[in-house]
Amino acid sequence: MNKERSRVSAIQMATGPNVSANLLEVERLVTEAVDNGAGLVVLPENFAFMGKQDRDLCALREIDNDGPLQEFLSHLAKRHEIWVVGGTLPLEAHDNSKVRAACIVYDAQGKRVGRYDKIHLFDVNLVEANERYVESETIEAGDEIVVLDSPFGRLGIAVCYDLRFPELFRKLLDKGMEIACMPSSFTAITGKAHWDTLVRARAIENLSYVVAAAQGGFHINGRETHGHSMIVDPWGNILSQVPRGTGSVSCKLDLGYLASLRRNFPTINHRKL
C-alpha cells in the first residue's frame, strides 16, 4: 500500500437524476479525498442516480460485469490507484421488472474484487412526514454476505437499512470483518433519530471500524436525506464527520489499536448465543 494513501474516506453527496453530473461530482469528491491521502474510498448508496420515482432506477439496469457505471468505477479506481467501494448501482435481477442494489468493490488496479447485493429492503411508512418507501417493489433482495481482504483490513460490506439488523454484522464479524463499509441514504427523519446511534452501536458491539458514506441534503425528487457521513472507531468514537451537503472525510485507521482492543476488552469472545 502506498504510504501516502493510507487513509480511508467516506464520500457524501446529494445525488440527482442527471447521471453525468453525478459522476462528475463523484470524480471531484474522490479527487479531493485522494489529495487528502485516501487509498480507500466508500461512495454513498445510489451515487449515480436518484430519480423522481424509484422505478426510474430500472432504466439504468446493467448486466453484471458489463455497463457504463461499472466501467466508471473500475476506471476511477485504476486512475487514482485506490480501492473503491462503489456505493450501490442497479444490476439485473432474476425478476426482470426489478434490479439488484449492488455494491461492487474495485482494487487499485481497477479489478473487481467483490460484489454485495443489499439484503434488507426499506419498506416503511413514515406517517409524521407523510412519506412511504417500498424498495421491494423495485429492488430484489440479495442473500449473501461479503467480507474482503484489502490492504486496509478485512472489509465487511453492508448498505443503509442493513444497519438496523445487528445479526448481519455478527455474521460479517464471524467472517473476520475489521472495517464495516456502509453506503447509505438515510431519510432526514430516521437519520436524525437513529443514524448516529446505530452507526456507533455497530462499531462498539463488533469492535470494528465503520466507514459510513451517506446521501445528505435536498434532492430533486423531493426527498431529504440526513447526511452525517462518518468514520467511527471500535470504541464508538466519531473520528470525522460531514454534517450536510457534499464533501468527504478521511482518516487513517489503526488495526494495531483494533487488535489490542479486541484482546484487552474481549466482548466478542464472551458471546454465549
Side-chain angles (χ1 to χ4, degrees), residues 93-126:
H94 294 105
D95 185 336
N96 291 330
S97 68
K98 297 182 180 182
V99 300
R100 289 290 184 107
C103 179
I104 305 179
V105 182
Y106 295 88
D107 69 13
Q109 288 73 49
K111 177 185 176 182
R112 170 173 151 163
V113 293
R115 167 185 166 180
Y116 167 72
D117 293 353
K118 185 177 182 179
I119 291 176
H120 299 97
L121 303 182
F122 192 53
D123 291 359
V124 302
N125 286 311
L126 300 177

Side-chain angles (χ1 to χ4, degrees), residues 201-243:
R202 297 296 85 87
I204 293 166
E205 67 197 7
N206 297 296
L207 294 176
S208 298
Y209 286 98
V210 178
V211 184
Q215 295 281 347
F218 293 94
H219 303 265
I220 292 176
N221 63 6
R223 183 173 176 176
E224 182 185 358
T225 47
H226 179 64
H228 292 78
S229 296
M230 62 177 71
I231 299 174
V232 179
D233 77 8
W235 199 245
N237 297 307
I238 298 174
L239 301 179
S240 191
Q241 182 175 184
V242 181

Side-chain angles (χ1 to χ4, degrees), residues 26 29 64-65 75 82 89 107 119 137 152 171-172 181 188 194 196 203 207 220 227 237 245-246 251 259 262:
V26 170
L29 292 167
D64 190 31
N65 267 318
H75 288 172
I82 58 171
L89 53 84
D107 69 13
I119 291 176
E137 290 182 348
F152 307 88
K171 288 183 178 294
L172 294 172
C181 298
H194 303 141
D196 180 283
L207 294 176
I220 292 176
N237 297 307
T246 60
C251 293
R262 287 182 174 183

Side-chain angles (χ1 to χ4, degrees), residues 36-232:
N36 287 327
L40 168 68
V41 171
V42 182
L43 300 180
E45 185 178 24
N46 297 321
F47 70 92
F49 179 81
M50 286 183 70
K52 292 184 178 180
Q53 300 179 22
D54 290 343
R55 180 61 56 185
D56 296 340
L57 192 64
C58 293
L60 296 177
R61 181 169 45 212
E62 295 185 357
I63 299 171
D64 190 31
N65 267 318
D66 183 19
L69 295 180
Q70 295 169 83
E71 185 176 335
F72 169 81
L73 292 175
S74 175
H75 288 172
L76 184 73
K78 185 176 182 178
R79 184 167 62 255
H80 289 288
E81 298 182 317
I82 58 171
W83 281 59
V84 174
V85 178
T88 60
L89 53 84
L91 296 188
E92 284 189 328
H94 294 105
D95 185 336
N96 291 330
S97 68
K98 297 182 180 182
V99 300
R100 289 290 184 107
C103 179
I104 305 179
V105 182
Y106 295 88
D107 69 13
Q109 288 73 49
K111 177 185 176 182
R112 170 173 151 163
V113 293
R115 167 185 166 180
Y116 167 72
D117 293 353
K118 185 177 182 179
I119 291 176
H120 299 97
L121 303 182
F122 192 53
D123 291 359
V124 302
N125 286 311
L126 300 177
V127 177
E128 61 271 38
N130 194 29
E131 295 179 7
R132 177 175 178 266
Y133 300 91
V134 190
E135 285 190 334
S136 61
E137 290 182 348
T138 305
I139 298 172
E140 182 180 86
D143 58 7
E144 295 184 5
I145 68 169
V146 174
V147 178
L148 304 168
D149 282 317
S150 84
F152 307 88
R154 293 273 287 170
L155 309 179
I157 312 298
V159 173
C160 200
Y161 194 48
D162 286 335
L163 182 63
R164 295 183 180 274
F165 301 89
E167 62 273 18
L168 169 63
F169 289 81
R170 284 306 203 200
K171 288 183 178 294
L172 294 172
L173 180 66
D174 288 340
K175 292 290 186 179
M177 175 185 70
E178 296 170 315
I179 305 166
C181 298
M182 203 178 61
S184 298
S185 182
F186 258 59
T187 70
I189 288 178
T190 60
K192 182 178 180 180
H194 303 141
W195 171 255
D196 180 283
T197 301
L198 288 170
V199 173
R200 296 181 65 218
R202 297 296 85 87
I204 293 166
E205 67 197 7
N206 297 296
L207 294 176
S208 298
Y209 286 98
V210 178
V211 184
Q215 295 281 347
F218 293 94
H219 303 265
I220 292 176
N221 63 6
R223 183 173 176 176
E224 182 185 358
T225 47
H226 179 64
H228 292 78
S229 296
M230 62 177 71
I231 299 174
V232 179

